[in-house]
Amino acid sequence: MSKVKAVVFDLDGVIIDTEEVWEDVRRGYVAEFGREFLPDSQDRMMGMSTGEWSAHLADEVGVPRTAEQVAADVLGRMAQRYQDALPLIKGSVEVVRALQGSYRLALASSSARILIDQVLATAGITDAFEVTLSTEEVPRGKPAPDVYLTAVQKLGLTPDDCAAIEDSSNGLRSAAAAGLTVIAVPHGVYPPAPDALAQARLVVSGISEITPEAIATL
């Protein structure tokens, strides 16, 4: 019998397919100031908290705005993109609802609180999650374990009681460092690094493969 009592979802790349939207918006934004991403900017920013990626764009990429201004500018553009068309991953809402019947659910995302709330409300799944956390609400973003450890604590459980669903290298590393059982749904455009993927107990090719029965085998 599975020891898993709760499942903690990532948001970007698991419920909504936004990694490309984030890249498009942030690349376009820095280009307006005549700047370009560093070679590793995209990989590094996947999992960073709002404060971390905005500081990266301001301090390292060289956007001549404060980190706070960068965050406000980019988040405003992301919110507009979500309003225009929410890029839900096919089957993700159905998986949330299916797991809700068997497990307690939480969400641990690198997105800003304003975007998390907008996405869940638009998708109609706000009620499914007992706990939702943004990395901007904990000391460190992914790959640090902070957001997962805090989610588990708020559920009143231990990491051994919980599974995490992640797609990115830093997300997988974060969940593994926190001691959760890790389920990987690798992103086709931004596949996780081999060392990060190796930390997953279960690797699936699509979100729809994550069923209550699959989790019961972990």
Side-chain angles (χ1 to χ4, degrees):
M1 184 176 176
S2 174
K3 64 182 180 180
V4 175
K5 298 176 182 176
V7 178
V8 187
F9 281 76
D10 178 34
L11 183 66
D12 295 275
V14 172
I15 294 174
I16 50 173
D17 193 9
T18 54
E19 303 293 6
E20 290 177 88
V21 181
W22 275 106
E23 181 174 9
D24 183 54
V25 166
R26 290 190 288 213
R27 280 190 187 275
Y29 177 70
V30 302
E32 292 173 16
F33 296 95
R35 302 296 196 272
E36 294 182 352
F37 274 17
L38 303 179
D40 62 350
S41 287
Q42 177 60 24
D43 286 341
R44 286 173 61 188
M45 286 191 294
M46 291 176 70
M48 280 186 176
S49 68
T50 302
E52 290 166 342
W53 62 251
S54 59
H56 173 74
L57 294 182
D59 300 339
E60 297 184 61
V61 175
V63 173
R65 305 266 283 165
T66 66
E68 291 76 15
Q69 290 171 326
V70 169
D73 291 345
V74 172
L75 291 177
R77 296 178 189 206
M78 288 296 296
Q80 185 60 54
R81 292 284 286 267
Y82 287 179
Q83 288 172 6
D84 294 342
L86 187 65
L88 281 169
I89 290 175
K90 185 178 179 181
S92 62
V93 170
E94 291 80 4
V95 168
V96 168
R97 290 300 183 196
L99 296 186
Q100 183 186 14
S102 302
Y103 301 97
R104 298 171 64 190
L105 302 186
L107 185 132
S109 173
S110 297
S111 277
R113 168 57 61 185
I114 188 173
L115 296 182
I116 292 172
D117 291 346
Q118 181 180 337
V119 168
L120 297 183
T122 303
I125 52 175
T126 303
D127 65 290
F129 296 95
E130 290 185 40
V131 172
T132 62
L133 271 177
S134 165
T135 52
E136 66 185 13
E137 297 162 347
V138 297
R140 299 173 296 171
K142 302 173 184 178
D146 302 28
V147 71
Y148 278 104
L149 290 173
T150 304
V152 168
Q153 181 182 35
K154 285 181 175 291
L155 287 169
L157 298 173
T158 68
D160 283 345
D161 297 324
C162 301
I165 303 175
E166 273 286 359
D167 68 301
S168 69
S169 295
N170 285 339
L172 293 165
R173 292 174 180 133
S174 173
L180 282 73
T181 299
V182 182
I183 302 169
V185 191
H187 194 284
V189 178
Y190 306 100
D195 72 287
L197 191 61
Q199 302 196 60
R201 179 84 59 85
L202 174 66
V203 179
V204 298
S205 59
I207 187 74
S208 295
E209 294 178 30
I210 303 175
T211 62
E213 294 76 19
I215 292 177
T217 67
L218 298 175

